Amino acid sequence: MTRQSQDGLAQEGQPTQQSTARTLSVPDGATASLLHTVERWTAHGWLRSLDQALVLFLHELDPLASPLVLLAAALASHQLGRGHVCLDLQATLDNSRFALSLPPDTVAQGSGATEPTPLPLPSELLAQVNLLQWQSALQASALVAAPGKPSQGGTPLVLQGDRLYLRRYWQYEQDVAQAIGQRITASQHLRQGRSAAQDAILRQALDQLFPPAGNQATDAPDWQKMACALAASSAFSIITGGPGTGKTTTVVKLLALLQSMALQQNGRPLRICLAAPTGKAAARLSESIVQALQRLGDAQLPAVPPAPGSGEVRSLKPLIPSDAQTLHRLLGSRPDSRHFRHDAQHPLALDVLVVDEASMVDLEMMAALLSALPAQARLVLLGDKDQLASVEAGAVLGELCAQSERGLYWHETAQWLQQVTGQQVPAELQDMAGKPLDQAVAMLRVSHRFHADSGIGRLAGVVNTGRRKAIKPLLKAGYPDLAAYAVPDLTHSSLAQLVLDGGGKRFVDSAAKRDAGPVGYGHYLQVLREMPANPSPEALNQWALRLLKAHGEFQVLCALRSGPWGVEGLNERIAQLLAHRELIAQSSGWYAGRPVLVTRNDYSLKLMNGDIGITVQMPAGQALDAGGASGAAVAQGALRVVFATSEGLRWVLPSRLQAVETVYAMTIHKSQGSEFNHAAVVLPPSLSPIMTRELVYTGITRAKRWLTVVAGGSSNFSVLEEATERQVRRSSGLRQGEL
């Protein structure tokens, strides 16, 4: 774009004494120049075709639309693809390079230096524009709704302060804020109207669920107990915390508490549903609930009255569900539609909904969920606020928990918590400047998985707080659960050792733990070779469970998808390594031992996005049907892929799997909702735009017992240090109101 047209952009937004929609008319050639720039940005991948299409549509709606308005619309649309709900005008003016999907070296090498006419950067187009000028141009446009304008209803764009939205996402944000606000207000009234007798019953039940530990320090608050108290008195609540802080244990006790109170009040158990964003996360939630219930004895549960007409004492355990489902399935997704079967007119039939891995829930899904929730139902969100946000636009949990570190509990909230739990909220977490939302958020602050001597826990903490200088000393400190080393290239022997046996020699005291130390993929491939001869269906199923468990012991995680150090390159290299060692018969196509990841929900096969299966060679003379029962006989060497689902094992013909990929390596994004005894996080040699503090933290915390951090090339962990300094800041206005 020429300097004349750049000045035209600035002058176009300049307010004057006669400013009206028509006095801000377009200078000759400025709009055409901008449309040409948008076309070139799209051709270079800086914008999406969808973004360009929106600009052309808006120009068709209003041919006199200011270039500043069309530019803002292009950037606002593009932000949705990058996870932002809106375009932050001031942030774009301060650092506009992040408004487009620019290659990392664009500014350093010049924009389009190899082209006859270099591509202009957003900073060049906005060089003479300030916030007031940009806002004035948008406020004057017939395409934009802004406070005080009469044409609020049908405009495709909405301006709120210094944030520009596409109308649909502005509406989602309004709906979510309003729905949560209504539930929080109702909760405040509910808590204020509680009687002393009700609080006494609540305290008695909490004391039984959380008996005082003999070695617990009296000044250490039991955050799990306080989280249950807050959630039990709220129509909307959030329980957040890092890995191992006991989120699932807390919610199981919460559900027992709610059921006992419901049975005492009206004799009817609550209808409780468990859900998660993905099939993998739902399966993990089901598994965790079952394990938590097994650890919880009946004596620890509150007493409940006998069933009507029966003198028998009832147990609460059967009233706590363990079957979780995906949010899409819960709401009833419709093919080729953004809408669900359940909405405000057709609400869900439930009393309590628990959503795990809530950090993965995007704004649009949260709006749909809240719309379908009955007015009297409770919503409990579980998740780690510091993990990666959703792939789609919005970081709902992160925004709602933005102040959870500070607590910001009102004095009356802290006083009530002490009354019903016996726990004192620390003075530094009390603040009358807190908002109503803060009174519904409980952060679990003690990790029961990573103790003081855990390298995984310390590295996660260092990364999460952005302490770049502490990373390398920590990696070299010799923690028994943490190994870190560089791999110069994909042919290096250290990569082969990691993949085959987990690189156990790299861990301190690994010799003493040899029988139960970290493993690699050689472990599950050994179990694969141990298939029983002529097994019964029951024996074959038991072996398959052992195989799937063995595979879950170890996983390679990547920051990137493409390139030699991404999923594509590492999957190919690892398969070659295993084939060279004759652990698998071939490295491409379908073969025994191939692990696959489902990439799209398949309801006909009852497989969900994120499910992992292992390809096995069936013994001659028998087979299992999809549900794991005895089926028709098969020939020697026939292949099946076995999956562990919430409904049991599923044996599937490879030809029926239309959306799967090999998964020796998976992206950190795909690993959300999963945990592995030994995780190996492989970092690329150079920094990528997607590498952030949240991505690295999420990768680190997938490891339960051992973590290997691999620095690709000669980066010497500088990529890890740089990524730690880059934090995701998604533009949104969800917490701008009274939430």
Side-chain angles (χ1 to χ4, degrees):
M1 187 175 285
T2 63
R3 170 54 59 186
Q4 178 183 2
S5 63
Q6 294 170 29
D7 292 341
L9 283 179
Q11 294 164 6
E12 179 61 25
Q14 182 71 44
T16 66
Q17 292 181 348
Q18 299 84 21
S19 289
T20 67
R22 291 306 173 214
T23 58
L24 287 171
S25 58
V26 180
D28 291 343
T31 299
S33 180
L34 176 67
L35 294 176
H36 180 57
T37 297
V38 168
E39 181 180 9
R40 293 176 68 198
W41 282 351
T42 306
H44 279 72
W46 294 8
L47 282 178
R48 304 174 299 170
S49 298
L50 184 66
D51 309 325
Q52 182 188 15
L54 174 67
V55 172
L56 295 175
F57 170 71
L58 295 179
H59 177 58
E60 183 179 341
L61 281 180
D62 183 6
L64 296 180
S66 160
L68 272 175
V69 172
L70 296 178
L71 174 62
L75 299 181
S77 175
H78 191 63
Q79 298 319 293
L80 290 174
R82 298 160 64 89
H84 301 279
V85 175
C86 58
L87 176 71
D88 186 320
L89 301 179
Q90 186 60 64
T92 302
L93 292 172
D94 292 341
N95 193 349
S96 60
R97 66 170 277 111
F98 293 109
L100 295 180
S101 295
L102 301 176
D105 56 353
T106 299
V107 174
Q109 296 182 359
S111 54
T114 60
E115 296 193 6
T117 305
L119 277 172
L121 295 168
S123 56
E124 298 173 49
L125 302 186
L126 297 168
Q128 305 300 319
V129 178
N130 62 37
L131 179 60
L132 179 60
Q133 292 167 351
W134 207 354
Q135 288 173 315
S136 298
L138 290 164
Q139 290 167 354
S141 173
L143 299 170
V144 183
K149 286 184 63 174
S151 58
Q152 288 283 342
T155 59
L157 302 172
V158 176
L159 179 67
Q160 192 148 8
D162 59 356
R163 303 186 305 277
L164 181 68
Y165 296 81
L166 271 63
R167 173 167 288 278
R168 181 152 56 87
Y169 283 86
W170 174 82
Q171 191 63 58
Y172 290 149
E173 189 170 278
Q174 297 298 304
D175 291 346
V176 168
Q178 183 178 14
I180 293 176
Q182 289 173 345
R183 291 178 179 278
I184 290 174
T185 299
S187 300
Q188 289 177 292
H189 294 158
L190 179 67
R191 195 176 297 164
Q192 291 168 358
R194 293 181 65 88
S195 66
Q198 288 175 312
D199 283 346
I201 293 172
L202 176 59
R203 174 158 189 165
Q204 183 179 5
L206 285 168
D207 287 345
Q208 188 160 2
L209 284 164
F210 295 93
N215 58 351
Q216 183 179 1
T218 55
D219 59 345
D222 188 337
W223 287 105
Q224 293 185 10
K225 189 175 186 179
M226 288 196 286
C228 281
L230 285 173
S233 62
S234 302
F236 173 83
S237 58
I238 299 174
I239 300 175
T240 187
T245 52
K247 295 186 291 293
T248 306
T249 300
T250 302
V251 83
V252 166
K253 292 186 177 184
L254 169 63
L255 296 181
L257 176 66
L258 293 175
Q259 285 289 30
S260 70
M261 294 172 66
L263 289 169
Q264 290 187 48
Q265 289 172 6
N266 55 39
R268 182 183 66 84
L270 298 170
R271 297 167 297 175
I272 300 173
C273 285
L274 307 174
T278 67
K280 186 69 175 177
R284 274 208 62 248
L285 175 59
S286 296
E287 180 184 350
S288 299
I289 292 284
V290 169
Q291 292 173 352
L293 283 171
Q294 289 173 345
R295 293 192 299 267
L296 200 61
D298 284 327
Q300 294 177 263
L301 297 173
V304 296
S310 170
E312 297 181 3
V313 176
R314 278 193 285 183
S315 171
L316 281 175
K317 283 190 177 182
L319 301 179
I320 301 174
S322 59
D323 292 333
Q325 57 188 312
T326 64
L327 290 172
H328 282 85
R329 178 169 285 185
L330 173 73
L331 294 175
S333 59
R334 293 175 172 175
D336 305 317
S337 172
R338 307 182 79 99
H339 302 289
F340 297 95
R341 288 194 294 273
H342 290 288
D343 54 23
Q345 285 70 46
H346 306 89
L348 295 161
L350 52 80
D351 300 304
V352 179
L353 175 61
V354 176
V355 179
D356 195 17
E357 297 292 350
S359 63
M360 300 166 66
V361 181
D362 60 85
L363 180 66
E364 182 177 2
M365 175 57 79
M366 187 61 76
L369 183 66
L370 288 165
S371 174
L373 205 61
Q376 79 284 358
R378 298 175 190 266
L379 176 61
V380 181
L381 302 181
L382 296 178
D384 186 344
K385 65 180 179 60
D386 298 314
Q387 279 191 29
L388 281 167
S390 59
V391 175
E392 303 299 331
V396 179
L397 186 73
E399 284 190 80
L400 296 178
C401 297
Q403 302 297 326
S404 60
E405 294 276 359
R406 297 171 57 198
L408 299 181
Y409 294 114
W410 298 332
H411 175 67
E412 61 193 65
T413 304
Q415 194 173 37
W416 181 82
L417 281 171
Q418 185 173 19
Q419 179 181 338
V420 297
T421 68
Q423 305 294 308
Q424 177 66 52
V425 177
E428 63 270 19
L429 299 180
Q430 298 183 41
D431 193 330
M432 293 308 294
K435 292 194 174 183
L437 173 63
D438 300 316
Q439 317 313 303
V441 179
M443 180 177 173
L444 307 182
R445 300 166 186 265
V446 178
S447 176
H448 303 285
R449 181 189 306 168
F450 303 134
H451 300 290
D453 61 344
S454 167
I456 301 174
R458 291 209 170 190
L459 181 61
V462 163
V463 167
N464 201 26
T465 51
R467 289 176 282 162
R468 169 178 180 158
K469 294 182 179 180
I471 289 178
K472 286 182 181 177
L474 192 151
L475 294 177
K476 297 176 182 178
Y479 287 97
D481 58 348
L482 177 63
Y485 48 92
V487 174
D489 56 66
L490 296 181
T491 64
H492 198 267
S493 60
S494 58
L495 179 63
Q497 292 168 0
L498 172 65
V499 167
L500 294 171
D501 61 22
K505 293 180 180 179
R506 301 274 184 172
F507 289 87
V508 175
D509 297 332
S510 61
K513 301 178 181 178
R514 186 165 299 162
D515 293 335
V519 298
Y521 290 135
H523 176 55
Y524 91 89
L525 291 171
Q526 175 61 38
V527 176
L528 181 71
R529 293 192 293 272
E530 295 171 356
M531 174 189 282
N534 302 318
S536 65
E538 294 77 11
L540 194 59
N541 280 329
Q542 290 176 2
W543 167 81
L545 286 171
R546 190 160 62 94
L547 174 67
L548 289 163
K549 181 181 179 182
H551 179 267
E553 294 286 308
F554 173 70
Q555 184 63 56
V556 174
L557 304 176
C558 304
L560 309 179
R561 177 158 191 83
S562 58
W565 294 96
V567 165
E568 295 172 359
L570 277 165
N571 269 325
E572 182 180 352
R573 178 56 185 157
I574 292 171
Q576 291 171 352
L577 280 170
L578 297 176
H580 179 70
R581 299 295 181 96
E582 298 183 347
L583 294 175
I584 56 176
Q586 60 196 58
S587 60
S588 61
W590 286 102
Y591 53 86
R594 180 191 178 193
V596 294
L597 175 77
V598 177
T599 58
R600 187 175 64 239
N601 292 347
D602 189 329
Y603 293 106
S604 64
L605 294 175
K606 299 182 179 179
L607 296 176
M608 298 291 110
N609 183 7
D611 284 346
I612 293 178
I614 308 295
T615 310
V616 300
Q617 201 167 39
M618 301 297 288
Q622 71 165 351
L624 298 177
D625 63 21
S630 182
V634 297
Q636 178 73 37
L639 296 177
R640 294 289 188 275
V641 186
V642 61
F643 296 87
T645 72
S646 58
E647 299 181 5
L649 290 177
R650 299 201 63 76
W651 298 79
V652 183
L653 279 166
S655 59
R656 296 194 64 192
L657 295 170
Q658 302 302 311
V660 295
E661 59 186 30
T662 303
V663 70
Y664 294 117
M666 73 165 65
T667 61
I668 294 173
H669 273 93
K670 282 285 187 182
S671 74
Q672 273 190 280
S674 300
E675 292 177 339
F676 311 96
N677 269 353
H678 179 197
V681 177
V682 179
L683 304 171
S686 58
L687 191 67
S688 164
I690 71 166
M691 292 192 64
T692 62
R693 179 184 303 176
E694 291 81 1
L695 183 86
V696 175
Y697 171 82
T698 301
I700 291 169
T701 54
R702 296 313 87 202
K704 292 175 65 176
R705 298 184 63 186
W706 294 282
L707 171 69
T708 298
V709 182
V710 172
S714 56
S715 64
N716 193 27
F717 300 104
S718 59
V719 167
L720 177 58
E721 292 177 316
E722 292 175 47
T724 297
E725 292 186 324
R726 301 174 59 190
Q727 194 169 9
V728 174
R729 298 289 188 189
R730 290 195 168 179
S731 300
S732 166
L734 190 57
R735 277 205 62 141
Q736 298 301 313
E738 291 303 312
L739 279 183

